[in-house]
Amino acid sequence: MSRSQPEPVRETLNFDERIVLEHWSHRNTSVKDYWASHSATLERFEEFWASVAKELEWFKPFSKVMEPGEYPNVYKWFVGGKLNMSYLCLDRHVKSWRKNKVAIVWEGEPVKDSGEPLEVRVLTYYDMWRYVNRVAYVMKEKLGLKKGDRVAFYMPMVPELPVLMLAAARIGVTFTQVFSGFSAEALASRISDLGARYVFTTDGYYRRGKILRTKEITDDAVKTCPTVEKIILIRRVGQTETPIDPAKHTYLDDLLADVSPTAYVPPEEMDSTDILYVIYTSGTTGKPKGIIHDTGGYAVILHATMKWVFDIKDEDIYWCTADIGWVTGHSYIVFGPLMSGASIIMYEGAPDYPAPDRWWSIIERYGVTIFYTSPTAVRAFMRMGAGYVTRHDLSTLRLIHSVGEPINPAAWKWLFELVGGGRCPVGSTWWMTETGGILISHTPGLMLVPLKPGTNGPPIPGVEVDVVDEDGKPVPNGVKGYLIVKRPWPGMPGPPTGMLGDPERYNLVYFSRFRYFFTGDYAIKDGDGYVWVLGRSDEVLKVAGHRIGTYELESALVSHPYVAESAVVGAPDDVKGEVPIAYVVLKSDAPHTPQIRDELRRWIRERIGAIAEPKSIFIVSKLPKTRSGKIMRRIMRALATGKPIGDVTTLEDEAAVEEVKIAYEALLKEIGEGGRS
Ligand code: WT7
């Protein structure tokens, strides 16, 4: 299932534009020296990762760096070691001078016309430690949760989300956090797959001035989830649309009411290989899969990358603009930064609410020094105009990274010049839900090789990647190929099965194509060995950085009573990088009304969530297929982007050239005749 033309990056890439920041001279390194020390880390691979791991506090030291697990391609990291993530994020700091240091500054979205002050909550490490202990007490003593039990969080961006994650980690309860923008059905499938005993959610939250109803969506979701004993509600908006049913709902506040303010729950001594959490992500087939992250390996990759990639220091005010619903937020809002003892910013709402300068005003008001954001956000801001940025003082910023999708050189330059004032290293950190932490990036906290607009840079120390052809042979520099990771790394999908309950699928998806871990990405390596990830090579879309399988959209569409068949492809989009375009064949008895497209959009929002809504829906009488029944996606992509199909002789499927042309003409005619919306 390969895509012939991914084009999230549509600007010319310049492999030779090198930018060196003079004031970073303490770390500036030539490419040659970087690779020399990088090779040294690979030569003494285990020793190297052991030395990084030893910087953490272990209850019991590990006896072995790495060994194969019970299933193929699943590895055990830091075997024999015992540690606890909540201890690393809180107790360690509370025992130090950081006790009263600010851990989280949280800002709510609403801005009132009356000029009332913004809603801000400041939690020190001590506050967090107290709160997490009390919540862990509730989980353990009142909800009867014990090590190995499972819970789901369907939480928006409120401080209680990190509190819940750390409380679960403290007592060894496996959690999954589901993005608060997902639908009831998407939530239900994750709760069931995990077998969660409780779902924690809020009574609602604010987004672009509206209240969104997490409680009601959760009520809907749990109807099909027999393992759920109760929904635990966190108060955010102070009201619910539907009544509270004491048999089903309990407020966390009420459970906490009689818990001592000094409640203490000893952190569970977790094996390094024990599960910390499960996170669901989309692949090319089937339902979203649960990726397992272990405790020790994951802690080590986060510790390493907070230092090397983010150069985190005690003086920093760190802000990652992601939502904690995605892996970025797990790793680089909650666990990584708190392990580092950083002060972090958390913002509840939309970047452009009430005006497009909200983010820049946050940077100015809190003096943010490290900023981690996404290319989609940057491109959206670029459109709104420089004025929203330049009216704010961003001079505190010293380091910027982006993540989630390729950053086009123009967006990189905008970040570098306008936001970073030409002072800040700006990187594009490559990683995936599966990798747990950043694997390819500039490392301004360690050694800094010259920056290049749009590149991901070299792999971090201790990580070996390559770009290969169909046969797994390295491609020459400058030639497009497939990105693979050549050695296991700490933070990789964890034992026992990598993918929850499905070791076969884990191996099929990542290890069946090449001998090594296959990322699914197309990439180019330049003459300096920098990696330039170009986009997905498979039927996975990156829409505004969010990962959506076209298969998921297609199954949602065909589950609609009117839909006979559907095919979804990605089309380039100037802001979101890529957007879904759907081709739909209706059943013969379906009403052919103009409203059908709105109905299908609503359907997708309800099955998956608003992020998956197709940009255009084409109603067609049949999908272009080869004689063997394979859908000719390239034709649909060409039409969706208003481009000619191009050189059909390079089509990867077995369609004859003539057949492709006929299918193209037929589809063109149909959508030209009003099939488009
Ligand atoms: C896919 C993984 C891990 C953070 C959020 C995304 C793309 C991610 C970059 C980057 C180019 C990138 C890849 C990857 N991607 N970061 N800096 N440059 N592409 O996690 O949802 O699991 O998606 O995002 O295509 O395979 P994810």
Side-chain angles (χ1 to χ4, degrees), residues 113-125:
D113 295 338
S114 58
E116 270 178 55
L118 287 164
E119 187 179 4
V120 175
R121 289 170 68 186
V122 178
L123 291 129
T124 65
Y125 274 94

PDB file of all heavy atoms in Angstrom, residues 113-125:
ATOM      1  N   ASP A 113     -15.535  39.964  28.575  1.00  0.00           N
ATOM      2  CA  ASP A 113     -15.551  41.352  28.112  1.00  0.00           C
ATOM      3  C   ASP A 113     -15.398  42.332  29.265  1.00  0.00           C
ATOM      4  O   ASP A 113     -14.877  43.425  29.105  1.00  0.00           O
ATOM      5  CB  ASP A 113     -16.881  41.662  27.406  1.00  0.00           C
ATOM      6  CG  ASP A 113     -17.003  40.842  26.142  1.00  0.00           C
ATOM      7  OD1 ASP A 113     -15.944  40.407  25.643  1.00  0.00           O
ATOM      8  OD2 ASP A 113     -18.138  40.621  25.680  1.00  0.00           O
ATOM      9  N   SER A 114     -15.845  41.891  30.439  1.00  0.00           N
ATOM     10  CA  SER A 114     -15.822  42.779  31.593  1.00  0.00           C
ATOM     11  C   SER A 114     -14.405  43.123  32.033  1.00  0.00           C
ATOM     12  O   SER A 114     -14.217  43.894  32.963  1.00  0.00           O
ATOM     13  CB  SER A 114     -16.539  42.095  32.743  1.00  0.00           C
ATOM     14  OG  SER A 114     -15.891  40.857  33.009  1.00  0.00           O
ATOM     15  N   GLY A 115     -13.413  42.538  31.362  1.00  0.00           N
ATOM     16  CA  GLY A 115     -12.031  42.829  31.729  1.00  0.00           C
ATOM     17  C   GLY A 115     -11.596  42.094  32.992  1.00  0.00           C
ATOM     18  O   GLY A 115     -10.587  42.413  33.600  1.00  0.00           O
ATOM     19  N   GLU A 116     -12.390  41.106  33.417  1.00  0.00           N
ATOM     20  CA  GLU A 116     -11.996  40.302  34.570  1.00  0.00           C
ATOM     21  C   GLU A 116     -10.652  39.650  34.304  1.00  0.00           C
ATOM     22  O   GLU A 116     -10.346  39.307  33.169  1.00  0.00           O
ATOM     23  CB  GLU A 116     -13.000  39.154  34.760  1.00  0.00           C
ATOM     24  CG  GLU A 116     -14.163  39.479  35.648  1.00  0.00           C
ATOM     25  CD  GLU A 116     -15.114  38.288  35.729  1.00  0.00           C
ATOM     26  OE1 GLU A 116     -14.635  37.197  36.095  1.00  0.00           O
ATOM     27  OE2 GLU A 116     -16.301  38.456  35.391  1.00  0.00           O
ATOM     28  N   PRO A 117      -9.878  39.428  35.368  1.00  0.00           N
ATOM     29  CA  PRO A 117      -8.575  38.782  35.123  1.00  0.00           C
ATOM     30  C   PRO A 117      -8.761  37.369  34.566  1.00  0.00           C
ATOM     31  O   PRO A 117      -9.783  36.726  34.799  1.00  0.00           O
ATOM     32  CB  PRO A 117      -7.925  38.736  36.507  1.00  0.00           C
ATOM     33  CG  PRO A 117      -8.988  39.078  37.486  1.00  0.00           C
ATOM     34  CD  PRO A 117     -10.101  39.769  36.763  1.00  0.00           C
ATOM     35  N   LEU A 118      -7.772  36.919  33.843  1.00  0.00           N
ATOM     36  CA  LEU A 118      -7.814  35.571  33.285  1.00  0.00           C
ATOM     37  C   LEU A 118      -7.807  34.554  34.415  1.00  0.00           C
ATOM     38  O   LEU A 118      -7.282  34.801  35.493  1.00  0.00           O
ATOM     39  CB  LEU A 118      -6.566  35.340  32.432  1.00  0.00           C
ATOM     40  CG  LEU A 118      -6.529  36.067  31.115  1.00  0.00           C
ATOM     41  CD1 LEU A 118      -5.108  36.074  30.565  1.00  0.00           C
ATOM     42  CD2 LEU A 118      -7.480  35.401  30.133  1.00  0.00           C
ATOM     43  N   GLU A 119      -8.362  33.413  34.111  1.00  0.00           N
ATOM     44  CA  GLU A 119      -8.341  32.342  35.092  1.00  0.00           C
ATOM     45  C   GLU A 119      -6.984  31.638  34.992  1.00  0.00           C
ATOM     46  O   GLU A 119      -6.662  31.052  33.966  1.00  0.00           O
ATOM     47  CB  GLU A 119      -9.467  31.371  34.764  1.00  0.00           C
ATOM     48  CG  GLU A 119      -9.659  30.312  35.799  1.00  0.00           C
ATOM     49  CD  GLU A 119     -10.806  29.372  35.437  1.00  0.00           C
ATOM     50  OE1 GLU A 119     -11.382  29.523  34.333  1.00  0.00           O
ATOM     51  OE2 GLU A 119     -11.096  28.498  36.244  1.00  0.00           O
ATOM     52  N   VAL A 120      -6.219  31.733  36.053  1.00  0.00           N
ATOM     53  CA  VAL A 120      -4.873  31.148  36.047  1.00  0.00           C
ATOM     54  C   VAL A 120      -4.713  30.292  37.299  1.00  0.00           C
ATOM     55  O   VAL A 120      -5.139  30.690  38.378  1.00  0.00           O
ATOM     56  CB  VAL A 120      -3.796  32.261  36.035  1.00  0.00           C
ATOM     57  CG1 VAL A 120      -2.399  31.669  36.164  1.00  0.00           C
ATOM     58  CG2 VAL A 120      -3.904  33.095  34.769  1.00  0.00           C
ATOM     59  N   ARG A 121      -4.146  29.104  37.138  1.00  0.00           N
ATOM     60  CA  ARG A 121      -3.829  28.286  38.311  1.00  0.00           C
ATOM     61  C   ARG A 121      -2.338  28.003  38.303  1.00  0.00           C
ATOM     62  O   ARG A 121      -1.788  27.609  37.290  1.00  0.00           O
ATOM     63  CB  ARG A 121      -4.596  26.955  38.273  1.00  0.00           C
ATOM     64  CG  ARG A 121      -6.081  27.122  38.523  1.00  0.00           C
ATOM     65  CD  ARG A 121      -6.831  25.833  38.225  1.00  0.00           C
ATOM     66  NE  ARG A 121      -6.526  24.760  39.171  1.00  0.00           N
ATOM     67  CZ  ARG A 121      -6.977  23.509  39.029  1.00  0.00           C
ATOM     68  NH1 ARG A 121      -7.724  23.181  37.991  1.00  0.00           N
ATOM     69  NH2 ARG A 121      -6.678  22.593  39.916  1.00  0.00           N
ATOM     70  N   VAL A 122      -1.712  28.235  39.424  1.00  0.00           N
ATOM     71  CA  VAL A 122      -0.279  27.977  39.536  1.00  0.00           C
ATOM     72  C   VAL A 122      -0.081  26.850  40.546  1.00  0.00           C
ATOM     73  O   VAL A 122      -0.568  26.931  41.664  1.00  0.00           O
ATOM     74  CB  VAL A 122       0.474  29.243  40.008  1.00  0.00           C
ATOM     75  CG1 VAL A 122       1.966  28.950  40.158  1.00  0.00           C
ATOM     76  CG2 VAL A 122       0.250  30.387  39.026  1.00  0.00           C
ATOM     77  N   LEU A 123       0.579  25.791  40.115  1.00  0.00           N
ATOM     78  CA  LEU A 123       0.835  24.668  41.015  1.00  0.00           C
ATOM     79  C   LEU A 123       2.334  24.462  41.155  1.00  0.00           C
ATOM     80  O   LEU A 123       3.037  24.299  40.148  1.00  0.00           O
ATOM     81  CB  LEU A 123       0.188  23.397  40.464  1.00  0.00           C
ATOM     82  CG  LEU A 123      -1.347  23.400  40.483  1.00  0.00           C
ATOM     83  CD1 LEU A 123      -1.898  23.026  39.124  1.00  0.00           C
ATOM     84  CD2 LEU A 123      -1.868  22.456  41.543  1.00  0.00           C
ATOM     85  N   THR A 124       2.816  24.487  42.380  1.00  0.00           N
ATOM     86  CA  THR A 124       4.242  24.214  42.612  1.00  0.00           C
ATOM     87  C   THR A 124       4.445  22.698  42.606  1.00  0.00           C
ATOM     88  O   THR A 124       3.487  21.930  42.638  1.00  0.00           O
ATOM     89  CB  THR A 124       4.697  24.760  43.978  1.00  0.00           C
ATOM     90  OG1 THR A 124       3.992  24.034  44.992  1.00  0.00           O
ATOM     91  CG2 THR A 124       4.417  26.249  44.100  1.00  0.00           C
ATOM     92  N   TYR A 125       5.706  22.294  42.618  1.00  0.00           N
ATOM     93  CA  TYR A 125       5.980  20.861  42.708  1.00  0.00           C
ATOM     94  C   TYR A 125       5.373  20.273  43.986  1.00  0.00           C
ATOM     95  O   TYR A 125       4.843  19.168  43.983  1.00  0.00           O
ATOM     96  CB  TYR A 125       7.491  20.584  42.608  1.00  0.00           C
ATOM     97  CG  TYR A 125       7.905  20.488  41.154  1.00  0.00           C
ATOM     98  CD1 TYR A 125       8.398  21.576  40.457  1.00  0.00           C
ATOM     99  CD2 TYR A 125       7.719  19.289  40.457  1.00  0.00           C
ATOM    100  CE1 TYR A 125       8.716  21.484  39.110  1.00  0.00           C
ATOM    101  CE2 TYR A 125       8.038  19.193  39.111  1.00  0.00           C
ATOM    102  CZ  TYR A 125       8.534  20.290  38.444  1.00  0.00           C
ATOM    103  OH  TYR A 125       8.828  20.193  37.108  1.00  0.00           O
TER     104      TYR A 125
END
